[in-house]
Amino acid sequence: MKNLIVDHLSIRFGAANPVRDVCFQLDAGRSLGVVGESGSGKSLTALALMGLLPDQARVSGELSWGGRSLQAMSERERRAVRGREIAMIFQDPMTCLNPSFTVGYQIDEVLKLRLGIRSRVERRKRGLEILSDVGIPAPETRWDAYPHQLSGGMSQRVAIAQALASEPELLIADEPTTALDVTVQMQILELLFSLKKKRGMSLLFVTHDLSVAGRLCDEILVMYAGQSLELASANAILKFPQHPYTQALLAARPHLGGGASERLKTIPGSVPRANEQIRGCVFAARCEKKFDRCEREAPVFSSASQFNRCFLSKNERGSL
Amino acid sequence: MRALRGVDLEVGEGETLAIVGESGCGKSTLARLLVGLEKPDRGVIETSESIIPMVFQDSLGSLHPRRRVEQILVEPILIREGRWRFTPADRGRAEAIAAKVGITAELLGRFPHELSGGQRQRVNIGRALALDSKILVLDEPVSALDVSIQAQILNLLKELQATQGLSLIFISHDLSVVRFIAQRVAVLYLGRVVESGPAREVLTKAQHPYTETLLQSDPDATDGPPVRVVQGEPPSPLEVLPGCSFAGRCPLVQPICRTEYPAATVRGDRQFSCHVRAQADGTEN
């Protein structure tokens, strides 16, 4: 099994710099929740891992998969990794399934091309197993169905089946349940995490919802304005958030058990634009704990700062 | 197709009623009925206001792309006065409305696409309040917004309610948001109100198994018993079977649930429709 290491990832499109500095490590068999608001660069990071960024994107930093650099690979080697070792599922299941082919055809294709299974009978048998694994009732009848004949929840299950058919070691899920109803959302998430356990694969789970990630993932990476701000175990992030942004994010969200308190804490201002030049900390302009140094100098994100990009982190405080 | 069946709801002055449910449950149809975009086949809607405005989820799609913010904000006034042209005098009115909803003066000359999602939703709320209506219908007004922006809009709605005595009908699928904003909740499933009552009580001690399911599916429900994920998906409103509409997915289902729709059990200001829970309730009392 392989580890994934992302080191100082930056993505530029001309003058825009939507991903400024992202670092994290995902060990084999673990799950990492990548949490951020819109514009935080979380989806672009996922696409960079898949090698699916548009041609004009300029990527710097190091993406390493099982000790090999993903960027140094030829397109041919990359293709062998994409979909085979690293698979991805997207937010909208309707647009990632081809409307003009049956469910069965689209799974069969993966088994034929990625796993090289020659026998058609064998592929059908495997395909039906996978469909029943992802909780599709009566897979034989669904095999010949077209995507438009399925509900949203069912299509997302098919998309998951398709991603899992190639037996990937790492699955990237980009907001896989945002388009679904709440009761169906929980079904799909539980399915995803139980499959992860059963198959021993790693899971990179991209979401805007801190509570969902906290409930399901081992670790959480909080992103903001294209940077990784805080990385810690899910429990630590929810119970003892260190970075002021994480703290503000948790406080801004109403809670079921919270009651109808008078006001929610808000984060003043808005997210910086991707083409904005920022000298100091990316969150300084909106941070209630900022001081002079925050606007002059950029805090680092490393083991030395305990993966908390803030001058107030424990170790940084010593150097003040 | 019948999108709604026998819905009885009441909103008091200065009160927020939340309508909760999943897609296809009829919550948007209900909103459209309230503001007069649809007509009911049967039943009446009574209100003290002549116009009930509405705020939609899609903050960009509900604003005219080629009107400036100031024009958008006073458009309801122009229409009421039978005018089309925006005059300099209207600018002052636009400023007054903008101030109410927290839009700074420099944004008044902008077009909707030049605003952030939160600013656009403020414009939508401002326009809805331009005619000083005392009732406002909001259909998933914050579900497309980021958490930090969501908090700003929710605070704004609460402030407006406190200062202007607004009654809000707040449609949402997010129970944590509902807990924050609403005093009363009605849970809708396949066109029927299956449970209603004070938010505090319904969201802590649900009576109807569907409400329980919603609560357990909420990602915020971290403390408490392990999740019992309900099986199946919401049925289509096109094929309504006899009996309770939740019977097909209900963990408590009994034979009677499949043949007869349960009558409402009323307990003070709470109400729910469930055979099993009504029975349990009866033996307790």
Side-chain angles (χ1 to χ4, degrees):
Chain A
M1 295 304 274
K2 303 189 176 80
N3 290 355
L4 172 74
I5 299 172
V6 171
D7 203 19
H8 298 298
L9 173 69
S10 159
I11 303 172
R12 285 175 180 278
F13 292 92
N17 193 0
V19 174
R20 291 164 202 257
D21 182 26
V22 172
C23 308
F24 66 86
Q25 177 168 349
L26 174 56
D27 290 335
R30 304 282 291 173
S31 57
L32 175 74
V34 177
V35 179
E37 299 183 280
S38 41
S40 63
K42 53 190 195 304
S43 293
L44 281 174
T45 303
L47 289 177
L49 291 170
M50 289 299 283
L52 290 176
L53 289 172
D55 288 340
Q56 65 270 34
R58 281 178 295 133
V59 180
S60 63
E62 194 53 46
L63 302 173
S64 144
W65 169 242
R68 291 159 73 205
S69 161
L70 282 171
Q71 293 120 298
M73 286 180 190
S74 67
E75 186 48 38
R76 202 191 157 127
E77 290 171 305
R78 195 80 199 254
R79 210 178 302 141
V81 171
R82 183 194 304 138
R84 176 72 182 84
E85 294 180 14
I86 307 179
M88 182 161 175
I89 50 176
F90 299 86
Q91 179 171 345
D92 186 355
M94 291 305 187
T95 53
C96 74
L97 295 175
N98 190 326
S100 26
F101 292 100
T102 61
V103 165
Y105 181 90
Q106 298 186 52
I107 298 209
D108 181 88
E109 198 177 26
V110 178
L111 295 170
K112 186 162 68 184
L113 298 176
R114 298 287 183 204
L115 294 190
I117 302 173
R118 292 257 182 83
S119 151
R120 201 167 162 185
V121 180
E122 169 70 16
R123 290 199 304 264
R124 190 184 158 94
K125 190 169 149 270
R126 284 280 283 277
L128 289 174
E129 274 170 23
I130 298 166
L131 285 183
S132 83
D133 267 1
V134 297
I136 291 182
E140 293 85 1
T141 60
R142 299 292 183 188
W143 188 260
D144 296 314
Y146 286 88
H148 74 267
Q149 296 171 306
L150 306 175
S151 68
M154 280 299 148
S155 332
Q156 194 58 292
R157 285 174 197 267
V158 171
I160 293 172
Q162 198 184 23
L164 293 182
S166 61
E167 295 167 5
E169 294 171 48
L170 165 64
L171 180 65
I172 301 175
D174 188 1
E175 305 257 15
T177 59
T178 312
L180 306 176
D181 272 326
V182 262
T183 54
V184 181
Q185 167 177 343
M186 241 22 217
Q187 293 170 11
I188 297 286
L189 291 176
E190 303 232 322
L191 167 73
L192 210 55
F193 281 80
S194 75
L195 287 170
K196 174 214 153 242
K197 214 179 207 174
K198 194 167 140 198
R199 298 180 168 230
M201 61 182 181
S202 332
L203 183 60
L204 189 78
F205 179 67
V206 178
T207 178
H208 66 281
D209 194 329
L210 204 45
S211 2
V212 167
R215 189 151 160 182
L216 295 164
C217 298
D218 299 324
E219 280 166 330
I220 291 179
L221 178 79
V222 178
M223 288 188 55
Y224 180 79
Q227 289 191 342
S228 45
L229 289 192
E230 184 171 3
L231 173 67
S233 75
N235 191 46
I237 291 275
L238 291 187
K239 300 257 163 68
F240 314 103
Q242 297 297 314
H243 197 283
Y245 174 65
T246 316
Q247 292 167 352
L249 208 52
L250 281 167
R253 176 92 188 113
H255 290 285
L256 252 187
S261 52
E262 275 305 294
R263 280 183 71 84
L264 291 169
K265 271 199 84 151
T266 60
I267 308 177
S270 53
V271 182
R273 286 166 198 270
N275 56 8
E276 227 168 275
Q277 291 289 331
I278 303 170
R279 234 174 100 209
C281 168
V282 285
F283 188 57
R286 306 175 72 190
C287 182
E288 56 177 23
K289 293 180 177 160
K290 71 156 178 203
F291 46 99
D292 297 348
R293 189 178 171 195
C294 303
E295 278 172 349
R296 285 198 318 268
E297 198 185 320
V300 293
F301 182 81
S302 68
S303 55
S305 65
Q306 295 180 315
F307 300 109
N308 174 18
R309 198 188 289 271
C310 180
F311 290 125
L312 293 172
S313 73
K314 284 186 194 102
N315 291 12
E316 280 283 344
R317 230 178 273 163
S319 71
L320 276 178
Chain B
M1 179 187 127
R2 287 172 70 183
L4 292 169
R5 305 162 164 252
V7 172
D8 287 309
L9 293 168
E10 204 182 313
V11 193
E13 205 180 308
E15 190 179 66
T16 301
L17 169 72
I19 299 181
V20 171
E22 297 179 275
S23 48
C25 75
K27 48 188 202 294
S28 295
T29 307
L30 182 58
R32 295 173 66 84
L33 281 170
L34 291 173
V35 300
L37 289 171
E38 309 270 355
K39 286 204 169 60
D41 298 326
R42 244 177 295 159
V44 283
I45 295 164
E46 278 177 28
T47 152
S48 55
E49 299 292 303
S50 55
I51 290 175
I52 303 180
M54 178 159 166
V55 172
F56 299 85
Q57 174 175 357
D58 181 354
S59 64
L60 184 61
S62 46
L63 298 175
H64 195 306
R66 298 183 63 184
R67 296 272 185 279
R68 295 179 192 278
V69 170
E70 54 187 10
Q71 291 171 300
I72 292 170
L73 288 176
V74 295
E75 197 179 1
I77 300 176
L78 298 193
I79 292 173
R80 187 179 55 187
E81 294 175 357
R83 302 184 282 135
W84 287 109
R85 194 154 291 254
F86 183 86
T87 62
D90 292 320
R91 202 185 155 95
R93 287 168 142 175
E95 275 170 11
I97 298 168
K100 247 199 254 180
V101 293
I103 296 169
T104 50
E106 81 241 25
L107 297 181
L108 285 175
R110 295 213 189 152
F111 291 105
H113 73 268
E114 296 174 303
L115 305 177
S116 70
Q119 289 166 340
R120 285 200 293 265
Q121 210 52 304
R122 285 175 194 270
V123 173
N124 275 303
I125 295 170
R127 176 179 60 182
L129 297 178
L131 294 180
D132 295 318
S133 298
K134 291 289 174 220
I135 307 178
L136 183 56
V137 176
L138 304 119
D139 190 359
E140 301 269 9
V142 296
S143 28
L145 302 175
D146 276 324
V147 181
S148 62
I149 307 302
Q150 194 180 333
Q152 294 174 10
I153 299 294
L154 290 173
N155 281 341
L156 171 70
L157 287 171
K158 264 205 165 171
E159 265 167 43
L160 287 171
Q161 182 166 48
T163 53
Q164 332 243 324
L166 286 180
S167 305
L168 304 179
I169 296 163
F170 191 96
I171 296 174
S172 177
H173 69 278
D174 188 330
L175 298 177
S176 310
V177 166
V178 166
R179 181 73 191 90
F180 173 76
I181 194 99
Q183 286 93 46
R184 294 182 57 80
V185 183
V187 181
L188 221 56
Y189 192 74
L190 223 62
R192 279 174 155 136
V193 176
V194 294
E195 177 163 11
S196 65
R200 191 177 59 247
E201 289 172 31
V202 172
L203 298 182
T204 49
K205 290 180 295 245
Q207 284 289 349
H208 198 281
Y210 177 62
T211 318
E212 284 180 352
T213 301
L214 280 181
L215 284 166
Q216 284 163 351
S217 305
D218 193 282
D220 197 40
T222 34
D223 306 322
V227 199
R228 182 183 55 194
V229 175
V230 69
Q231 294 305 309
E233 299 179 15
S236 155
L238 290 175
E239 32 193 309
V240 178
L241 301 166
C244 171
S245 33
F246 190 55
R249 304 170 76 195
C250 183
L252 307 177
V253 64
Q254 297 293 320
I256 188 176
C257 305
R258 301 201 191 271
T259 54
E260 214 176 291
Y261 191 82
T265 309
V266 183
R267 291 279 171 271
D269 51 359
R270 289 190 68 174
Q271 186 171 329
F272 59 93
S273 300
C274 173
H275 289 301
V276 179
R277 285 292 155 79
Q279 239 169 20
D281 193 65
T283 49
E284 269 170 34
N285 289 310

